[in-house]
Amino acid sequence: MACGVPPAVDKHIRSFQRWLPGRLSDIAEPEHTKTIRLFAIWHVLPGLRARAERSHITPSIRRFASEQTKYAAAFLRWPGERNTTLASCGQVDIDAWFAENARTRLRGFLNWAMQSRHCRRSSAIPAMKISRRPALSEDERLAALGRLLIDTEIPMRLRVAGVIVLLHAQPLSCVVRRTLDDVIREGDAVPLRLGEPPRFLDELQDAVISGVQVSLGHVDSKGVETRRTVHPLGIVAKGPVWYLVSDTEAGRRIFRIDRVSSADPTGDPVHRPGDFDLAESWNEIAEEVDRRRTPLEVK
């Protein structure tokens, strides 16, 4: 496998594949077993493989895959209690389930069931309600840092993780993957490596500083590669992910740098707006992306 023949398989994918037969054997109804097997093969496993190709699978993602399967099996039993079946399950039944049970774990199964015509395609999945706490103020952040530095009653591991979150704005999924190899000693300084930088980060930083246009190859979330000439204006780090803010023929755009497949300077100067503000531009683009996101409704 190390030589690439056969291709390497993520350990979490192998774990799910070993777990699945036992779970299927616990399902009493043969028809339910068949449906859950199809769901796992055609939805859950492809999702895990796609995630492994993009970055890596975390233990929480592996657990979520199992929970999706468990809740799908539970949902198949549930219509029988209401004298109905998955095929005849209506909007009232779906709304009743979402009012009583965990929401996110069933969305994938219902989407798959509608698209594969195992249930009515006219049903709509209730929109997720996401509540976001306001960001910490500078005073609150400094107060939390102070407590983590001096409060010896807090376990050391939690104190270290909390300091990294507060100082570097890193998500916990990034913090928990750090090891001693990521702690670098450079004289009196002890920097922390927060993951490997994207392949073309240095080239794009040079393009921003030098003010030259770039012929950019980029692969979107569906695996489609495009190439265009961009005017690099700035680079933004959001947690562990780096983004390039650029002007293009289609307007101002942001590109995930870890999805950049090539970055070739053209030598032509960047046309940089005189009133350009990186933070303001980032917020405008992020708000536009959020505005375009709407609840999924399958008809």
Side-chain angles (χ1 to χ4, degrees):
M1 294 180 70
C3 297
V5 183
V9 179
D10 187 280
K11 65 178 182 180
H12 293 296
I13 294 178
R14 294 198 302 270
S15 170
F16 180 81
Q17 291 172 323
R18 290 194 298 267
W19 170 86
L20 181 60
R23 181 60 190 173
L24 293 175
S25 66
D26 293 337
I27 301 175
E29 293 290 335
E31 193 63 28
H32 292 180
T33 303
K34 178 181 177 181
T35 302
I36 296 302
R37 180 183 288 110
L38 290 173
F39 170 62
I41 292 173
W42 295 106
H43 180 84
V44 180
L45 276 171
L48 289 174
R49 293 189 182 107
R51 177 58 185 251
E53 290 176 0
R54 289 198 309 270
S55 53
H56 65 278
I57 300 175
T58 63
S60 62
I61 293 174
R62 163 64 181 85
R63 287 193 298 271
F64 185 76
S66 297
E67 290 173 355
Q68 278 188 304
T69 309
K70 292 177 183 178
Y71 274 85
F75 183 78
L76 289 178
R77 296 192 304 269
W78 187 72
E81 302 171 3
R82 300 171 63 90
N83 297 318
T84 185
T85 63
L86 177 63
S88 60
C89 193
Q91 188 66 55
V92 173
D93 301 300
I94 293 176
D95 290 343
W97 168 274
F98 273 76
E100 300 173 6
N101 299 275
R103 292 170 173 248
T104 58
R105 295 171 180 82
L106 192 68
R107 301 180 74 85
F109 175 73
L110 287 179
N111 280 326
W112 171 83
M114 292 176 189
Q115 293 168 7
S116 56
R117 300 183 183 278
H118 284 81
C119 66
R120 297 177 183 176
R121 302 189 71 184
S122 58
S123 300
I125 301 175
M128 294 177 59
K129 295 181 179 178
I130 302 176
S131 58
R132 296 178 179 176
R133 294 183 61 185
L136 292 176
S137 67
E138 187 66 12
D139 290 341
E140 290 172 328
R141 187 176 72 88
L142 291 175
L145 273 171
R147 182 188 173 194
L148 290 172
L149 290 172
I150 64 175
D151 192 340
T152 56
E153 294 184 1
I154 301 175
M156 180 59 71
R157 289 187 177 184
L158 295 182
R159 293 169 64 189
V160 172
V163 168
I164 295 173
V165 170
L166 291 170
L167 285 179
H168 299 284
Q170 295 296 306
L172 288 176
S173 59
C174 174
V175 174
V176 297
R177 294 197 301 271
R178 305 283 65 83
T179 68
L180 288 176
D181 292 335
D182 296 312
V183 180
I184 306 168
R185 294 186 178 276
E186 296 180 350
D188 294 334
V190 186
L192 177 66
R193 181 171 55 213
L194 297 169
E196 295 297 327
R199 176 182 174 187
F200 292 99
L201 178 60
D202 289 342
E203 289 88 341
L204 293 172
Q205 285 178 328
D206 290 342
V208 171
I209 295 171
S210 304
V212 296
Q213 299 179 37
V214 171
S215 177
L216 189 76
H218 187 265
V219 180
D220 65 16
S221 58
K222 297 180 180 179
V224 178
E225 184 173 8
T226 57
R227 177 173 287 276
R228 73 199 81 189
T229 298
V230 302
H231 296 250
L233 300 176
I235 290 176
V236 176
K238 185 178 181 182
V241 182
W242 294 83
Y243 295 88
L244 173 70
V245 180
S246 297
D247 274 342
T248 70
E249 291 184 352
R252 191 156 297 166
R253 296 288 186 270
I254 56 176
F255 301 93
R256 278 186 60 148
I257 297 180
D258 58 359
R259 291 181 181 165
V260 171
S261 57
S262 61
D264 302 313
T266 66
D268 298 322
V270 165
H271 302 305
R272 187 182 184 91
D275 59 348
F276 174 74
D277 182 272
L278 181 58
E280 182 179 341
S281 181
W282 168 264
N283 290 332
E284 289 176 355
I285 297 173
E287 289 174 3
E288 177 64 16
V289 171
D290 288 340
R291 187 185 64 79
R292 293 179 181 178
R293 291 175 179 166
T294 56
L296 175 64
E297 183 174 344
V298 180
K299 296 183 179 180

